[in-house]
Amino acid sequence: MGIVSIDGWTVTQWDAIEGFKNGLHLFTLDELQEVAINNTEESQDVTGAGGSILNSNKRNKGCNGTGTNGLLSGGLMEVQTGGKQTTKDIVILQKDTITVTADMASANKVSITKTPTGTAGAEIQYVYVKGATEVVTTYQQAVDAGEGKFAYDNKEITFAASAIAEGNVVTVYYNVKLTDDTGVKITNDASKYSTECELVYTGLAKNACGKEACFQFSVPRADFTGNFNLEMGDSQTTHSFEWTALKNKCSTSNNFWDFIIFPDED
Amino acid sequence: MLKRCGVCNKEFEPCNQCPSGGYAWRKTVCCVEHSVPFLAILEYKRNLKSKDEAMEILNKYTDIEYNDDVKKIVDEILFVPVAESVESEIDEADEPVSKPRSRKKS
């Protein structure tokens, strides 16, 4: 049986939001926690004698959407920041905390866990040594170890004689380059801005007689803003978003959106 | 926090935001000119450059007043046993002694 009217239907489930750019799939948000689609229009009264309303001028029609996905979406972040995800040339910060053993103290050396990347001679830059009195001494990287200086080579940090003692805690921060395709990065470039894409909301609807059907809510031009929050509180970090529908001038229909209910059958 | 140049005694404000590509010298030395001898000294210390290779570079920078952190290494690079340079003039039984080679100014 076909569906010939929206009357009597209610949306019972928002399944997902799919994002596309010229047919290319950008993201799927399928852990939706909050969804809102707001439609707006302003009207200005045209008044006559005694202020009686004769007519109204309507303008500023618009539509915008907001929502929250329970999981982070890289594709959505690309649209919101204008950035691109990459799995190449990723550099992360590594922190090593090393408790000095008797052997390390006698050799005046400690080993770090990974190979640092960066400017030769400044791969580590500073090292912090907490002594027995809890006083933290900062050492600066130099070509050779000396007073207040340490040398680095091949995952080994060398101090001057007697600079470190057993039980001291050495803290080292340095950058490590990940092997390609072992991590992913998205960059929020200050010179790039959020972009637009086509959105299709999908889900289920039910009518008063208990009949279920699918719905699709399509926005040909959803212009995302760069306003989104990554927050942590009582629950996990969620991914919020907001967009404004743009008039689809490229189409003859000028649609902000289409709302379709259809039976899930061949 | 000011940092002493990795080559000379001049203090400078290090910068971690140097543009990528090329050597980010502002992290280690006070001026771009000093980055060349600095790398030569560092690579010699890390056994990535031979003494002769490092010496060839340092001999082009004869007007630098090296700081105490690197002076010992610089001297090590620039000093060679006499036996090596005037081999023919020394009796085979003589002990080799050290003298500076081609360093114009320290």
Side-chain angles (χ1 to χ4, degrees), chain A:
Chain A
M1 188 185 77
I3 297 168
V4 293
S5 172
I6 286 174
D7 295 352
W9 289 91
T10 183
V11 169
T12 55
Q13 185 178 318
W14 297 80
D15 283 339
I17 303 174
E18 309 280 357
F20 298 89
K21 182 77 174 178
N22 295 326
L24 176 69
H25 179 261
L26 301 178
F27 58 81
T28 298
L29 309 177
D30 55 2
E31 296 295 342
L32 296 166
Q33 294 181 337
E34 292 170 29
V35 174
I37 297 171
N38 313 301
N39 295 284
T40 57
E41 185 184 78
E42 288 176 16
S43 64
Q44 189 178 35
D45 293 339
V46 176
T47 56
S52 59
I53 299 171
L54 302 176
N55 210 333
S56 62
N57 286 333
K58 293 180 181 173
R59 58 183 181 176
N60 293 345
K61 189 173 179 179
C63 172
N64 63 71
T66 58
T68 306
N69 196 47
L71 300 176
L72 299 179
S73 165
L76 177 58
M77 269 189 214
E78 285 187 345
V79 173
Q80 290 174 314
T81 61
K84 270 280 167 204
Q85 294 178 88
T86 180
T87 57
K88 315 286 184 202
D89 300 323
I90 299 174
V91 174
I92 58 152
L93 175 69
Q94 174 75 22
K95 178 185 181 182
D96 285 355
T97 305
I98 305 149
T99 302
V100 177
T101 62
D103 286 348
M104 292 175 187
S106 62
N108 305 309
K109 287 176 191 290
V110 296
S111 295
I112 55 175
T113 56
K114 296 179 180 170
T115 302
T117 185
T119 306
E123 296 93 340
I124 294 175
Q125 301 198 77
Y126 299 98
V127 160
Y128 310 92
V129 180
K130 187 158 78 177
T133 57
E134 300 286 308
V135 173
V136 176
T137 308
T138 303
Y139 290 81
Q140 191 175 301
Q141 186 173 351
V143 174
D144 208 1
E147 191 182 345
K149 303 278 171 65
F150 71 90
Y152 167 77
D153 190 17
N154 198 25
K155 290 170 84 172
E156 265 190 351
I157 290 171
T158 305
F159 293 91
S162 306
I164 53 171
E166 185 180 0
N168 288 177
V169 178
V170 179
T171 305
V172 190
Y173 296 92
Y174 54 99
N175 288 332
V176 173
K177 186 175 184 296
L178 298 183
T179 306
D180 282 354
D181 302 325
T182 59
V184 63
K185 174 178 81 170
I186 183 163
T187 301
N188 189 359
D189 187 333
S191 63
K192 291 182 177 167
Y193 294 90
S194 54
T195 58
E196 63 175 86
C197 70
E198 180 187 352
L199 285 184
V200 181
Y201 289 65
T202 60
L204 295 175
K206 197 179 256 187
N207 71 3
C209 304
K211 183 178 169 58
E212 276 204 330
C214 300
F215 80 86
Q216 286 189 357
F217 187 94
S218 303
V219 185
R221 292 184 68 195
D223 188 18
F224 277 80
T225 71
N227 306 328
F228 66 102
N229 305 312
L230 301 174
E231 295 173 354
M232 206 192 93
D234 293 337
S235 56
Q236 84 278 14
T237 299
T238 57
H239 195 158
S240 62
F241 58 88
E242 58 184 41
W243 52 263
T244 302
L246 303 178
K247 186 174 173 179
N248 193 8
K249 286 280 282 180
C250 297
S251 161
T252 51
S253 57
N254 290 341
N255 298 344
F256 278 141
W257 48 258
D258 291 318
F259 183 52
I260 305 161
I261 300 176
F262 58 100
D264 187 19
E265 55 197 37
D266 287 335

Side-chain angles (χ1 to χ4, degrees), chain A residues 118-123 125-126 138 140-147 149 151-154, chain B residues 1-4 6 14 16 23-25 27-28 38-39 41-42 45-46 69-70 72-73:
Chain A
T119 306
E123 296 93 340
Q125 301 198 77
Y126 299 98
T138 303
Q140 191 175 301
Q141 186 173 351
V143 174
D144 208 1
E147 191 182 345
K149 303 278 171 65
Y152 167 77
D153 190 17
N154 198 25
Chain B
M1 182 176 163
L2 289 176
K3 202 173 182 179
R4 187 162 70 169
N16 265 4
Y23 184 72
W25 58 268
K27 291 179 182 176
T28 56
F38 175 79
L39 280 175
I41 297 163
L42 183 74
K45 185 76 175 47
R46 292 182 179 178
D69 293 340
V70 294
K72 197 174 148 193
I73 307 167

